Amino acid sequence: MAQELDKKSEFTPFENIGLCFSGGGYRATFFALGVLAYLDHVSYKNKSLLKSVKALSTVSGGTLTGVGYAKAVQMPNYNFKAFFKQFYNTFTPENDVLLESAIAKLENDTVWKANPYKNRSLINAFALTYSEMPVFEGAFGKFEKSKIKQLEQVCFNATDFSFGLTYRFQNRGYFGNNPLYRNNQKEINALRNEVELGDVIASSSCFPVGFEPLVFPDDYFKDHSSSSYKNLKGLDTFIEGVGIMDGGIADNQGIGSMMLINDRMKGKLDLIIVNDVGSFKMKPWKQDATKIEKKSTAKRVINKVLQYFSIKPIYWTILLVGLAILLLNNMKIFGPTDYLGWYILGSALFGMGLLLTIFGLVASSVKIAVLSRLKHLFNKNIPEALLDDILTFEKLDISLIQVMLSNRVTSAMTMINDVFLKQMRRVNYDLFYSKNELKNKRITATVYKLSGKKSPYMKTPAYNKGIKAPSKNLESVCLTASETPTTLWWDKKDIVKNRMQTLIACGQFTVCYELMEYILELRADPDSNIADFTEIDKLYDALKADWVSFNKKPLWLVEELCD
């Protein structure tokens, strides 16, 4: 009986793996591709580790790779190396036309006439472009529970702008999130499989400020006349549409969704690998150093601008002079006949005066309407107790106001793009590492781990003493990869630095290193409940051999796959 209990509690890692791919533009896309490539390369019990991956949770740039791979696995003739080459060749700098195609679509009236169901926007132009790419074409129905192969659960994360929660495009559980799905299951389930994969990717990767949200269900379904669409659109929640965009807003690592997946799988996942290209680093905010000089007050500047929005005496004076010249010339006051020169001069002055007068009338009306509206908004939104304080701003020097506004805008952008995301990252990792049931079942592979750079929290890079330290060459490749900007295109600097291949290589050698470290931790843990390390040791030996190769030539596996 005791032996049976021990057998039941025995831990068998590497049998069921979950992968999280973080957001981060192409930096995330190709780091994730490298992770997939290495898991396909290395074997455990005579089977590649990639075949043990049962769940995916992806965000933003990582969703490009996640959707592409999840779709490829469903193909009857699936072969990872073929998928790798197709995906790689689609995005090489010489072939990558994602940005150019999206902008061309945005400018092309014909595109929007052919897709009248979509709002004309940059993110919808990207969505249409993704949908046309062979690696992404198709609909979400490919991942239907009864049809999906190898992968059991997939979740591509976005954020909704009605409740501020993660919006999950997933094949199990809520499609969306609890408040949007719970009471609308019948209507959503009737359409969920029709969502284009291009729209899923666009939803997950459209970061704030750079893009606008997609609107659900309006932008997602072509046939707005179908009964299924009308039933969904008729629900109170969706009448005005729900904004959907970047998954990184709520959880840029996809950790929360993976933990929900593991719960639905009743703890079946024995290893969750979070692949994260985010960073603890951020560019410090700096105040505007513009020298404040005495120029003019805000009130004077505003009044000076507003004075142009009125009828000036000079306008109707020109009008009257022109009219007088025309009349006097017609009355032959200037000579025995009417002269063409006087006629031209009078007509020019009259026309100019008329235009200026009309402009003055319109401008004056607009000024009155705008000022009235602004006054209404001002009185409505500014607490009465603060009115006097706010009005003192009109007496401040304009250069001081410019500096104050600059500091507010730049600090707000830093808050949105850096501080907030950093805090969310910490919260999600705290949650991930606080779960006792995930002990010995989690790995975090970060893009900067092997760069040789120290963090603010430690004086030297935290390398495992049981593993040969990375070579300077490998550290250099890692650093180049980690410094890739968060974009969905390659610039000249990216091309010169060969960022695409360095990112793929970084994903490969980083997950190799993390798997070695993980095995060493399992061996050192007396409570690991692993009875036999034979197969695990074989895996470690293979990882160690690859690690030696990576240190000698960090891009060896990338080059091998690209041949």
Side-chain angles (χ1 to χ4, degrees), residues 135-149:
V135 289
F136 301 133
E137 64 184 355
F140 197 80
K142 291 180 180 294
F143 310 129
E144 190 177 349
K145 179 180 176 180
S146 60
K147 297 179 180 178
I148 195 166
K149 301 174 185 175

Side-chain angles (χ1 to χ4, degrees), residues 26 29-30 64 86-98 130 133 135-136 490 500:
Y26 276 177
T29 301
F30 294 99
L64 275 75
Q86 182 190 31
F87 196 92
Y88 178 89
N89 289 333
T90 299
F91 291 100
T92 56
E94 58 269 23
N95 293 336
D96 183 16
V97 292
L98 175 60
Y130 287 131
M133 300 168 77
V135 289
F136 301 133
W490 304 115
M500 185 178 184

Side-chain angles (χ1 to χ4, degrees), residues 409-552:
V409 171
T410 55
S411 61
M413 292 301 295
T414 300
M415 175 67 74
I416 295 168
N417 294 327
D418 286 305
V419 177
F420 178 75
L421 289 180
K422 296 288 185 293
Q423 290 298 330
M424 289 301 298
R425 186 173 188 259
R426 293 185 186 103
V427 168
N428 286 317
Y429 274 119
D430 285 346
L431 176 64
F432 186 50
Y433 281 93
S434 68
K435 296 289 184 180
N436 290 329
E437 61 268 29
L438 293 179
K439 182 185 177 184
N440 291 332
K441 295 183 177 182
R442 54 199 166 203
I443 291 175
T444 298
T446 59
V447 71
Y448 56 82
K449 172 72 175 280
L450 304 174
S451 66
K453 296 294 182 181
K454 63 181 181 180
S455 80
Y457 313 108
M458 53 191 69
K459 294 181 179 179
T460 57
Y463 295 144
N464 192 307
K465 294 181 180 179
I467 302 172
K468 180 182 178 181
S471 65
K472 294 298 181 184
N473 190 17
L474 187 145
E475 287 182 334
S476 176
V477 170
C478 181
L479 182 61
T480 298
S482 68
E483 292 176 341
T484 305
T486 306
T487 60
L488 291 172
W489 57 84
W490 304 115
D491 62 23
K492 291 181 180 179
K493 188 175 182 180
D494 295 330
I495 296 170
V496 170
K497 288 183 171 288
N498 192 21
R499 300 262 205 212
M500 185 178 184
Q501 288 199 346
T502 58
L503 280 164
I504 297 171
C506 187
Q508 292 169 340
F509 58 63
T510 299
V511 78
C512 173
Y513 179 93
E514 294 293 353
L515 287 169
M516 283 194 295
E517 190 168 47
Y518 172 67
I519 291 173
L520 291 178
E521 289 172 356
L522 288 178
R523 273 205 156 280
D525 185 357
D527 299 321
S528 66
N529 289 328
I530 298 176
D532 186 357
F533 272 88
T534 303
E535 292 296 330
I536 295 176
D537 287 341
K538 289 180 182 178
L539 172 60
Y540 185 85
D541 290 341
L543 295 168
K544 187 176 180 180
D546 286 341
W547 180 243
V548 171
S549 298
F550 281 126
N551 275 284
K552 290 179 180 177

Side-chain angles (χ1 to χ4, degrees), residues 27-278:
R27 187 174 70 255
T29 301
F30 294 99
F31 184 84
L33 184 62
V35 170
L36 290 176
Y38 189 72
L39 293 179
D40 179 72
H41 167 79
V42 70
S43 296
Y44 176 70
K45 293 184 178 179
N46 299 316
K47 181 176 75 172
S48 82
L49 283 180
L50 189 57
K51 290 183 178 178
S52 294
V53 172
K54 298 296 191 295
L56 282 179
S57 175
T58 71
V59 183
S60 198
T63 296
L64 275 75
T65 309
V67 168
Y69 169 68
K71 181 206 165 189
V73 174
Q74 310 313 310
M75 304 299 286
N77 57 344
Y78 163 72
N79 173 276
F80 179 80
K81 289 181 175 60
F83 157 71
F84 179 93
K85 283 191 174 182
Q86 182 190 31
F87 196 92
Y88 178 89
N89 289 333
T90 299
F91 291 100
T92 56
E94 58 269 23
N95 293 336
D96 183 16
V97 292
L98 175 60
L99 179 62
E100 292 86 345
S101 295
I103 291 175
K105 280 181 169 54
L106 182 63
E107 297 172 346
N108 190 340
D109 293 339
T110 305
V111 170
W112 305 102
K113 289 178 181 177
N115 298 278
Y117 69 100
K118 277 189 173 294
N119 293 302
R120 189 168 186 168
S121 65
L122 181 59
I123 193 56
N124 270 318
F126 267 85
L128 292 170
T129 303
Y130 287 131
S131 294
E132 292 176 354
M133 300 168 77
V135 289
F136 301 133
E137 64 184 355
F140 197 80
K142 291 180 180 294
F143 310 129
E144 190 177 349
K145 179 180 176 180
S146 60
K147 297 179 180 178
I148 195 166
K149 301 174 185 175
Q150 185 171 312
L151 293 165
E152 293 182 19
Q153 299 203 32
V154 294
C155 179
F156 310 115
N157 297 279
T159 305
D160 88 76
F161 274 42
S162 289
F163 297 94
L165 300 174
T166 298
Y167 190 96
R168 299 180 173 96
F169 295 90
Q170 56 187 358
N171 65 336
R172 308 278 182 96
Y174 292 158
F175 189 89
N177 54 42
N178 190 322
L180 289 173
Y181 180 81
R182 183 181 53 210
N183 297 321
N184 310 308
Q185 296 183 36
K186 180 181 177 182
E187 292 80 6
I188 291 175
N189 287 339
L191 288 168
R192 63 191 291 175
N193 287 337
E194 296 179 23
V195 175
E196 292 287 322
L197 297 181
D199 289 329
V200 173
I201 297 170
S203 302
S204 183
S205 62
C206 56
F207 50 87
V209 183
F211 296 99
E212 55 285 292
L214 283 91
V215 179
F216 187 90
D218 309 43
D219 288 328
Y220 291 79
F221 304 106
K222 296 180 180 179
D223 188 1
H224 284 194
S225 64
S226 72
S227 58
S228 296
Y229 178 83
K230 289 180 178 178
N231 290 339
L232 179 59
K233 186 64 177 173
L235 298 172
D236 290 343
T237 307
F238 298 105
I239 286 177
E240 295 184 0
V242 175
I244 307 290
M245 72 184 307
D246 191 15
I249 299 171
D251 178 3
N252 198 42
Q253 287 68 43
I255 292 172
S257 296
M258 182 57 73
M259 292 175 71
L260 289 175
I261 287 174
N262 194 39
D263 288 343
R264 288 197 296 269
M265 295 177 74
K266 302 186 184 304
K268 179 181 176 181
L269 296 176
D270 48 51
L271 179 59
I272 296 173
I273 306 176
V274 178
N275 302 282
D276 187 3
V277 302

